[in-house]
Amino acid sequence: MGNNKAVRHNWRDQIGTRARHRIAIDHFEREWIMLNRILGAIVRAALVVALIVLPSVFLPNVSGDSAQVIALVALFGAALTFFEYVSAYPGLVEFRDAPPFNRIRFGSLFVTVLLLTVIMHGTFDPSVLSVLVTAIGGLIGYVMDFPFSPVRLILLALPADMSSDQVALVRVAAGMSYLISLISLCVFYLTLRMGNWPAKNGAFNVWINLPTFDPTAGGDVVARLTRDARINIILGFLLPFLIPAVLKSVSTLFGTITVENYQSLIWAVSAWAFLPSSLFMRGIAMGRVADMISDKRRQAYAKADLDQQTI
């Protein structure tokens, strides 16, 4: 009897020790996940600050008022990014837990702003890098400067009294930014096709990754996602042509694009190239999600039919 009691006590002690170890491991894993989330949010916030302040740091003639506004915008962007990614609940950023969608978009915008800053910096302090980047942008801009092309339309939105050097500078910036947007689209498409995005990241949470999309709003989810995907792709195709037309039409109220303010030119051209490619990628991503849901439905229907036949 004494031996049996000792065995039972040892068994209970082992079970209790295992349970405590499992609880401790689970607690450690939760803390590690939270720490990684906080560090990731800090890194993303720092990158947003670097993106916003990049042109003002490397370009001259930045007034004190402009520097204060840029600092305020950078702090706001950093705070928004930090609280968005540190939270486990959905916010404003789409496809937050489906990398590398947002990484490709941010990388595209960051590289665009960086290279345009290098081009503008080379106008008063030339270097080997600025000459190389300017030559590449000039070549792409020249190739794409044909009638009714996006580059030609953005050049037509410029004031008529601009010098040829200023027009050439805008052409270089437009060519470089458009090249980066096309490369980002190709990278995302290859990632989607070869990397099985977003299925490789596990279960896709529509609530987290599409916070502005309400699956219960009515109608078939797949049909609505497909419709939104097509709308985004159409807008992504039309925006490079519509933005110059809008700039031309509102030039009487807000003024036209000028090259005297390099920062304004950088952000205007970057937005002109980034917004269409971003909408293109969003449309492709939503179409991919619609295909995934449709495939899951077909598998569920096929399994239900098989179970009925088995019964």
Side-chain angles (χ1 to χ4, degrees), residues 21-22 86 98 103-104 123 143 149 178 182 186 199 219 232 254 257 266 271 284 301 305:
H21 282 315
R22 186 169 58 251
V86 81
R103 296 174 186 176
I104 293 175
T123 58
V143 171
S149 69
Y178 211 74
L182 293 177
C186 294
N232 279 272
F254 302 101
I257 299 176
I266 288 172
I284 295 172
Y301 294 155
D305 293 339

PDB file of all heavy atoms in Angstrom, residues 21-22 86 98 103-104 123 143 149 178 182 186 199 219 232 254 257 266 271 284 301 305:
ATOM      1  N   HIS A  21       5.179  23.538 -16.134  1.00  0.00           N
ATOM      2  CA  HIS A  21       6.120  23.825 -17.225  1.00  0.00           C
ATOM      3  C   HIS A  21       5.390  24.301 -18.469  1.00  0.00           C
ATOM      4  O   HIS A  21       5.827  25.237 -19.141  1.00  0.00           O
ATOM      5  CB  HIS A  21       6.935  22.572 -17.557  1.00  0.00           C
ATOM      6  CG  HIS A  21       8.041  22.300 -16.581  1.00  0.00           C
ATOM      7  ND1 HIS A  21       8.882  23.278 -16.119  1.00  0.00           N
ATOM      8  CD2 HIS A  21       8.445  21.140 -15.989  1.00  0.00           C
ATOM      9  CE1 HIS A  21       9.767  22.768 -15.284  1.00  0.00           C
ATOM     10  NE2 HIS A  21       9.517  21.458 -15.170  1.00  0.00           N
ATOM     11  N   ARG A  22       4.268  23.656 -18.794  1.00  0.00           N
ATOM     12  CA  ARG A  22       3.504  24.052 -19.972  1.00  0.00           C
ATOM     13  C   ARG A  22       2.944  25.459 -19.822  1.00  0.00           C
ATOM     14  O   ARG A  22       2.975  26.261 -20.762  1.00  0.00           O
ATOM     15  CB  ARG A  22       2.367  23.054 -20.213  1.00  0.00           C
ATOM     16  CG  ARG A  22       1.601  23.311 -21.506  1.00  0.00           C
ATOM     17  CD  ARG A  22       0.671  22.167 -21.850  1.00  0.00           C
ATOM     18  NE  ARG A  22      -0.287  21.923 -20.799  1.00  0.00           N
ATOM     19  CZ  ARG A  22      -0.278  20.859 -19.986  1.00  0.00           C
ATOM     20  NH1 ARG A  22       0.681  19.955 -20.113  1.00  0.00           N
ATOM     21  NH2 ARG A  22      -1.204  20.697 -19.053  1.00  0.00           N
ATOM     22  N   VAL A  86       1.094  47.621 -33.095  1.00  0.00           N
ATOM     23  CA  VAL A  86       1.245  47.050 -31.759  1.00  0.00           C
ATOM     24  C   VAL A  86      -0.060  46.460 -31.261  1.00  0.00           C
ATOM     25  O   VAL A  86      -0.075  45.650 -30.328  1.00  0.00           O
ATOM     26  CB  VAL A  86       1.765  48.116 -30.769  1.00  0.00           C
ATOM     27  CG1 VAL A  86       0.636  49.021 -30.270  1.00  0.00           C
ATOM     28  CG2 VAL A  86       2.489  47.460 -29.598  1.00  0.00           C
ATOM     29  N   ALA A  98      -0.558  40.075 -43.455  1.00  0.00           N
ATOM     30  CA  ALA A  98      -0.351  39.300 -44.687  1.00  0.00           C
ATOM     31  C   ALA A  98       0.866  39.840 -45.426  1.00  0.00           C
ATOM     32  O   ALA A  98       0.752  40.395 -46.523  1.00  0.00           O
ATOM     33  CB  ALA A  98      -1.597  39.362 -45.571  1.00  0.00           C
ATOM     34  N   ARG A 103       4.896  45.683 -47.065  1.00  0.00           N
ATOM     35  CA  ARG A 103       6.338  45.905 -47.166  1.00  0.00           C
ATOM     36  C   ARG A 103       6.734  46.294 -48.591  1.00  0.00           C
ATOM     37  O   ARG A 103       7.600  47.165 -48.791  1.00  0.00           O
ATOM     38  CB  ARG A 103       7.086  44.634 -46.741  1.00  0.00           C
ATOM     39  CG  ARG A 103       6.860  44.273 -45.275  1.00  0.00           C
ATOM     40  CD  ARG A 103       7.475  42.941 -44.919  1.00  0.00           C
ATOM     41  NE  ARG A 103       7.129  42.555 -43.551  1.00  0.00           N
ATOM     42  CZ  ARG A 103       7.464  41.408 -42.995  1.00  0.00           C
ATOM     43  NH1 ARG A 103       8.163  40.521 -43.685  1.00  0.00           N
ATOM     44  NH2 ARG A 103       7.101  41.135 -41.754  1.00  0.00           N
ATOM     45  N   ILE A 104       6.113  45.657 -49.559  1.00  0.00           N
ATOM     46  CA  ILE A 104       6.410  46.007 -50.953  1.00  0.00           C
ATOM     47  C   ILE A 104       5.917  47.418 -51.255  1.00  0.00           C
ATOM     48  O   ILE A 104       6.613  48.202 -51.908  1.00  0.00           O
ATOM     49  CB  ILE A 104       5.772  44.984 -51.897  1.00  0.00           C
ATOM     50  CG1 ILE A 104       6.439  43.618 -51.725  1.00  0.00           C
ATOM     51  CG2 ILE A 104       5.887  45.432 -53.352  1.00  0.00           C
ATOM     52  CD1 ILE A 104       5.800  42.517 -52.529  1.00  0.00           C
ATOM     53  N   THR A 123      21.243  68.282 -58.596  1.00  0.00           N
ATOM     54  CA  THR A 123      21.163  69.509 -59.380  1.00  0.00           C
ATOM     55  C   THR A 123      22.075  70.606 -58.842  1.00  0.00           C
ATOM     56  O   THR A 123      22.460  71.503 -59.593  1.00  0.00           O
ATOM     57  CB  THR A 123      19.720  70.021 -59.412  1.00  0.00           C
ATOM     58  OG1 THR A 123      19.261  70.233 -58.065  1.00  0.00           O
ATOM     59  CG2 THR A 123      18.804  69.006 -60.100  1.00  0.00           C
ATOM     60  N   VAL A 143      11.782  57.459 -73.094  1.00  0.00           N
ATOM     61  CA  VAL A 143      11.107  56.350 -73.776  1.00  0.00           C
ATOM     62  C   VAL A 143       9.594  56.447 -73.588  1.00  0.00           C
ATOM     63  O   VAL A 143       8.819  56.155 -74.515  1.00  0.00           O
ATOM     64  CB  VAL A 143      11.639  55.006 -73.247  1.00  0.00           C
ATOM     65  CG1 VAL A 143      10.800  53.844 -73.768  1.00  0.00           C
ATOM     66  CG2 VAL A 143      13.100  54.820 -73.650  1.00  0.00           C
ATOM     67  N   SER A 149       0.704  59.413 -73.226  1.00  0.00           N
ATOM     68  CA  SER A 149       1.288  58.591 -72.167  1.00  0.00           C
ATOM     69  C   SER A 149       1.191  59.340 -70.844  1.00  0.00           C
ATOM     70  O   SER A 149       1.030  60.571 -70.813  1.00  0.00           O
ATOM     71  CB  SER A 149       2.753  58.287 -72.479  1.00  0.00           C
ATOM     72  OG  SER A 149       3.534  59.476 -72.379  1.00  0.00           O
ATOM     73  N   TYR A 178       7.913  56.186 -62.195  1.00  0.00           N
ATOM     74  CA  TYR A 178       7.068  55.218 -62.901  1.00  0.00           C
ATOM     75  C   TYR A 178       7.775  53.881 -63.040  1.00  0.00           C
ATOM     76  O   TYR A 178       7.139  52.820 -62.951  1.00  0.00           O
ATOM     77  CB  TYR A 178       6.701  55.758 -64.282  1.00  0.00           C
ATOM     78  CG  TYR A 178       5.355  55.303 -64.768  1.00  0.00           C
ATOM     79  CD1 TYR A 178       4.187  55.825 -64.229  1.00  0.00           C
ATOM     80  CD2 TYR A 178       5.243  54.335 -65.756  1.00  0.00           C
ATOM     81  CE1 TYR A 178       2.948  55.400 -64.661  1.00  0.00           C
ATOM     82  CE2 TYR A 178       4.005  53.909 -66.192  1.00  0.00           C
ATOM     83  CZ  TYR A 178       2.861  54.445 -65.644  1.00  0.00           C
ATOM     84  OH  TYR A 178       1.636  54.010 -66.062  1.00  0.00           O
ATOM     85  N   LEU A 182       6.369  50.221 -61.573  1.00  0.00           N
ATOM     86  CA  LEU A 182       6.227  49.018 -62.396  1.00  0.00           C
ATOM     87  C   LEU A 182       7.012  47.847 -61.805  1.00  0.00           C
ATOM     88  O   LEU A 182       6.541  46.702 -61.803  1.00  0.00           O
ATOM     89  CB  LEU A 182       6.692  49.302 -63.822  1.00  0.00           C
ATOM     90  CG  LEU A 182       5.841  50.288 -64.634  1.00  0.00           C
ATOM     91  CD1 LEU A 182       6.460  50.519 -66.006  1.00  0.00           C
ATOM     92  CD2 LEU A 182       4.407  49.787 -64.777  1.00  0.00           C
ATOM     93  N   CYS A 186       5.569  44.155 -60.482  1.00  0.00           N
ATOM     94  CA  CYS A 186       6.114  42.865 -60.911  1.00  0.00           C
ATOM     95  C   CYS A 186       6.568  42.031 -59.716  1.00  0.00           C
ATOM     96  O   CYS A 186       6.325  40.813 -59.675  1.00  0.00           O
ATOM     97  CB  CYS A 186       7.289  43.088 -61.868  1.00  0.00           C
ATOM     98  SG  CYS A 186       6.837  43.853 -63.439  1.00  0.00           S
ATOM     99  N   ALA A 199      -1.706  32.475 -48.461  1.00  0.00           N
ATOM    100  CA  ALA A 199      -1.921  31.206 -47.772  1.00  0.00           C
ATOM    101  C   ALA A 199      -0.670  30.745 -47.024  1.00  0.00           C
ATOM    102  O   ALA A 199      -0.774  30.028 -46.031  1.00  0.00           O
ATOM    103  CB  ALA A 199      -2.351  30.139 -48.782  1.00  0.00           C
ATOM    104  N   GLY A 219     -25.123  40.575 -49.606  1.00  0.00           N
ATOM    105  CA  GLY A 219     -24.592  40.104 -50.868  1.00  0.00           C
ATOM    106  C   GLY A 219     -23.516  39.055 -50.664  1.00  0.00           C
ATOM    107  O   GLY A 219     -22.999  38.852 -49.553  1.00  0.00           O
ATOM    108  N   ASN A 232     -10.627  48.636 -58.141  1.00  0.00           N
ATOM    109  CA  ASN A 232      -9.282  49.111 -57.793  1.00  0.00           C
ATOM    110  C   ASN A 232      -8.331  48.996 -58.974  1.00  0.00           C
ATOM    111  O   ASN A 232      -7.506  49.894 -59.197  1.00  0.00           O
ATOM    112  CB  ASN A 232      -8.750  48.309 -56.603  1.00  0.00           C
ATOM    113  CG  ASN A 232      -9.269  48.804 -55.275  1.00  0.00           C
ATOM    114  OD1 ASN A 232      -8.693  49.685 -54.656  1.00  0.00           O
ATOM    115  ND2 ASN A 232     -10.385  48.251 -54.831  1.00  0.00           N
ATOM    116  N   PHE A 254      -5.067  76.493 -57.294  1.00  0.00           N
ATOM    117  CA  PHE A 254      -4.003  76.113 -56.380  1.00  0.00           C
ATOM    118  C   PHE A 254      -2.605  76.264 -56.981  1.00  0.00           C
ATOM    119  O   PHE A 254      -1.615  75.993 -56.313  1.00  0.00           O
ATOM    120  CB  PHE A 254      -4.191  74.650 -55.945  1.00  0.00           C
ATOM    121  CG  PHE A 254      -5.507  74.395 -55.282  1.00  0.00           C
ATOM    122  CD1 PHE A 254      -6.547  73.798 -55.979  1.00  0.00           C
ATOM    123  CD2 PHE A 254      -5.720  74.767 -53.974  1.00  0.00           C
ATOM    124  CE1 PHE A 254      -7.763  73.559 -55.380  1.00  0.00           C
ATOM    125  CE2 PHE A 254      -6.928  74.532 -53.359  1.00  0.00           C
ATOM    126  CZ  PHE A 254      -7.953  73.928 -54.057  1.00  0.00           C
ATOM    127  N   ILE A 257       2.398  72.697 -60.860  1.00  0.00           N
ATOM    128  CA  ILE A 257       3.611  72.097 -60.309  1.00  0.00           C
ATOM    129  C   ILE A 257       4.816  72.952 -60.684  1.00  0.00           C
ATOM    130  O   ILE A 257       4.968  73.372 -61.828  1.00  0.00           O
ATOM    131  CB  ILE A 257       3.797  70.678 -60.863  1.00  0.00           C
ATOM    132  CG1 ILE A 257       2.611  69.801 -60.473  1.00  0.00           C
ATOM    133  CG2 ILE A 257       5.077  70.053 -60.356  1.00  0.00           C
ATOM    134  CD1 ILE A 257       2.674  68.405 -61.067  1.00  0.00           C
ATOM    135  N   ILE A 266       8.945  66.344 -55.358  1.00  0.00           N
ATOM    136  CA  ILE A 266       9.202  64.948 -54.989  1.00  0.00           C
ATOM    137  C   ILE A 266       7.925  64.263 -54.547  1.00  0.00           C
ATOM    138  O   ILE A 266       7.581  63.161 -55.009  1.00  0.00           O
ATOM    139  CB  ILE A 266      10.287  64.880 -53.889  1.00  0.00           C
ATOM    140  CG1 ILE A 266      11.656  65.237 -54.468  1.00  0.00           C
ATOM    141  CG2 ILE A 266      10.318  63.495 -53.248  1.00  0.00           C
ATOM    142  CD1 ILE A 266      12.735  65.369 -53.423  1.00  0.00           C
ATOM    143  N   ALA A 271       3.540  60.575 -55.366  1.00  0.00           N
ATOM    144  CA  ALA A 271       2.124  60.212 -55.232  1.00  0.00           C
ATOM    145  C   ALA A 271       1.517  59.849 -56.576  1.00  0.00           C
ATOM    146  O   ALA A 271       0.699  58.916 -56.674  1.00  0.00           O
ATOM    147  CB  ALA A 271       1.358  61.373 -54.599  1.00  0.00           C
ATOM    148  N   ILE A 284      -5.378  43.353 -57.045  1.00  0.00           N
ATOM    149  CA  ILE A 284      -4.878  41.995 -57.240  1.00  0.00           C
ATOM    150  C   ILE A 284      -5.003  41.188 -55.954  1.00  0.00           C
ATOM    151  O   ILE A 284      -5.384  40.005 -55.977  1.00  0.00           O
ATOM    152  CB  ILE A 284      -3.415  42.043 -57.727  1.00  0.00           C
ATOM    153  CG1 ILE A 284      -3.332  42.697 -59.110  1.00  0.00           C
ATOM    154  CG2 ILE A 284      -2.812  40.651 -57.772  1.00  0.00           C
ATOM    155  CD1 ILE A 284      -1.912  42.954 -59.577  1.00  0.00           C
ATOM    156  N   TYR A 301     -18.030  22.050 -50.301  1.00  0.00           N
ATOM    157  CA  TYR A 301     -19.159  21.428 -50.999  1.00  0.00           C
ATOM    158  C   TYR A 301     -18.803  20.020 -51.458  1.00  0.00           C
ATOM    159  O   TYR A 301     -19.626  19.086 -51.350  1.00  0.00           O
ATOM    160  CB  TYR A 301     -19.571  22.272 -52.196  1.00  0.00           C
ATOM    161  CG  TYR A 301     -20.130  23.630 -51.830  1.00  0.00           C
ATOM    162  CD1 TYR A 301     -20.080  24.695 -52.729  1.00  0.00           C
ATOM    163  CD2 TYR A 301     -20.697  23.862 -50.579  1.00  0.00           C
ATOM    164  CE1 TYR A 301     -20.589  25.944 -52.397  1.00  0.00           C
ATOM    165  CE2 TYR A 301     -21.206  25.110 -50.237  1.00  0.00           C
ATOM    166  CZ  TYR A 301     -21.145  26.142 -51.154  1.00  0.00           C
ATOM    167  OH  TYR A 301     -21.641  27.372 -50.820  1.00  0.00           O
ATOM    168  N   ASP A 305     -20.668  16.591 -50.222  1.00  0.00           N
ATOM    169  CA  ASP A 305     -21.223  15.619 -51.160  1.00  0.00           C
ATOM    170  C   ASP A 305     -20.633  14.231 -50.939  1.00  0.00           C
ATOM    171  O   ASP A 305     -21.350  13.213 -51.000  1.00  0.00           O
ATOM    172  CB  ASP A 305     -20.969  16.066 -52.601  1.00  0.00           C
ATOM    173  CG  ASP A 305     -21.740  17.326 -52.958  1.00  0.00           C
ATOM    174  OD1 ASP A 305     -22.734  17.619 -52.271  1.00  0.00           O
ATOM    175  OD2 ASP A 305     -21.328  18.032 -53.906  1.00  0.00           O
TER     176      ASP A 305
END
